[in-house]
Amino acid sequence: MKKILMFLSLISMFSLGISSTANAAIKPGSKCKTKNKVTFSGNTKFTCIKSGSKLIWNKGISGPNNSKTQSNSNATGDEIESLPIDPTAPLKVDLKGAGQGKGLTYVPFGLNTGPRGEGATGSGTVNPQPVLYAPLGTEVLAIKTGTVIKVTKLYSNDYNIMIAAENDQKNVWELEHVIDVKVKEGDRVKAGQAIAKVGDFDERYTPGIGLVEFGLLINSSGPPTHICPFMKIASSAKNRIAAELTAIIEADKKRGYDSGPMAVIGCTALVSVEG
């Protein structure tokens, strides 16, 4: 009996030790074990960095957006977490066959039509980025939790916003042809956060209606390679995004505009597209 009590006492002490270590506040400059690992203490985000021959926690970044509860820890860099607009916005839009979307309020990835004519590199190529039409003034939402890595003014006098997930410079998420940009390079954004408004890129054909192109590109030294952004959806958002896209696509069909069969929801093809 005495041995059992001693054993239970040791387990209890061991458990308390683990709990104490796990809940201890991170101290900048203290040792860490895994390079680029991110952890949170209160509203401060710490990253494990290499300093000389040692791995240490950096000085940390403080702010209301750095709470662990506000990030999607289940998602990786190539998983979409949100559509770029409120999904109810396009449901009542009838483009009547006008505009470069030819009547579709949702132009899927892989369709030989859309705001880039017949694709990024000319006739015969597929649409490299899905497009959503919505009334002017509709807010554009971040499609991924991460950091704004680039904001660029385009030839069309509107903007392109690029977002990358934490520690992932390969998978880049784009929101193109947007206006009234609310973020700048270096800002951390949360999926679903309003960061701009739909642009008037195609309004000459669709008065009162704006659009946003969006998608996932693979960063490289050459031309960017776009892939279907819905090949991977964050598990926490999978059912919601599938239902939202389905409702928009079905509304198009009821108006007489059908994008045809899809390889996966939102994409008629799974090929990669340069440009």
Side-chain angles (χ1 to χ4, degrees):
M1 182 68 177
K2 198 178 275 188
K3 288 182 178 180
I4 294 173
L5 289 173
M6 286 179 65
F7 179 69
L8 291 174
S9 178
L10 285 170
I11 290 177
S12 177
M13 289 172 64
F14 181 68
S15 298
L16 286 171
I18 291 175
S19 177
S20 174
T21 302
N23 294 322
I26 298 294
K27 293 182 179 179
S30 61
K31 290 182 180 180
C32 54
K33 294 181 179 180
T34 307
K35 186 180 178 182
N36 294 328
K37 180 178 180 181
V38 173
T39 192
F40 297 83
S41 180
N43 284 339
T44 303
K45 180 182 72 173
F46 293 94
T47 304
C48 185
I49 61 173
K50 190 170 184 179
S51 178
S53 60
K54 297 180 180 179
L55 291 175
I56 62 171
W57 293 113
N58 70 352
K59 294 180 180 179
I61 301 174
S62 299
N65 290 332
N66 287 331
S67 170
K68 187 175 182 180
T69 58
Q70 291 185 347
S71 65
N72 185 351
S73 58
N74 294 322
T76 57
D78 59 353
E79 293 182 341
I80 193 169
E81 298 174 59
S82 173
L83 289 182
I85 62 172
D86 179 338
T88 63
L91 295 181
K92 298 178 181 179
V93 175
D94 187 351
L95 303 181
K96 303 183 186 303
Q100 296 184 61
K102 306 193 188 318
L104 292 170
T105 55
Y106 175 70
V107 182
F109 174 95
L111 191 66
N112 283 322
T113 185
R116 292 195 183 187
E118 291 187 330
T121 57
S123 179
T125 62
V126 297
N127 188 39
Q129 295 188 133
V131 182
L132 270 167
Y133 285 85
L136 287 175
T138 299
E139 290 185 324
V140 171
L141 313 176
I143 53 181
K144 183 73 184 174
T145 294
T147 301
V148 177
I149 62 171
K150 200 168 187 180
V151 178
T152 309
K153 190 169 185 177
L154 301 174
Y155 67 93
S156 43
N157 208 34
D158 45 27
Y159 293 87
N160 178 32
I161 303 173
M162 291 186 173
I163 300 170
E166 195 73 45
N167 300 317
D168 185 354
Q169 297 299 307
K170 178 183 177 183
N171 298 292
V172 179
W173 295 86
E174 280 191 308
L175 293 159
E176 197 167 346
H177 294 302
V178 300
I179 58 176
D180 295 342
V181 177
K182 298 178 174 67
V183 293
K184 62 184 183 303
E185 292 177 18
D187 284 354
R188 182 168 170 79
V189 296
K190 186 176 182 294
Q193 175 185 335
I195 60 175
K197 291 183 179 178
V198 294
D200 56 0
F201 179 71
D202 203 25
E203 200 205 1
R204 62 188 181 278
Y205 301 114
T206 55
I209 303 298
L211 63 79
V212 55
E213 287 188 23
F214 64 101
L216 171 62
L217 65 86
I218 305 301
N219 203 9
S220 64
S221 57
T225 300
H226 294 80
I227 63 174
C228 169
F230 298 108
M231 289 173 68
K232 289 188 179 181
I233 305 176
S235 57
S236 60
K238 193 167 187 177
N239 292 338
R240 169 174 52 81
I241 288 178
E244 291 170 351
L245 274 176
T246 298
I248 295 170
I249 292 166
E250 289 302 314
D252 274 347
K253 288 180 180 178
K254 287 181 180 178
R255 287 188 286 265
Y257 307 105
D258 191 347
S259 53
M262 296 192 181
V264 298
I265 186 70
C267 300
T268 64
L270 299 181
V271 297
S272 60
V273 182
E274 284 192 356

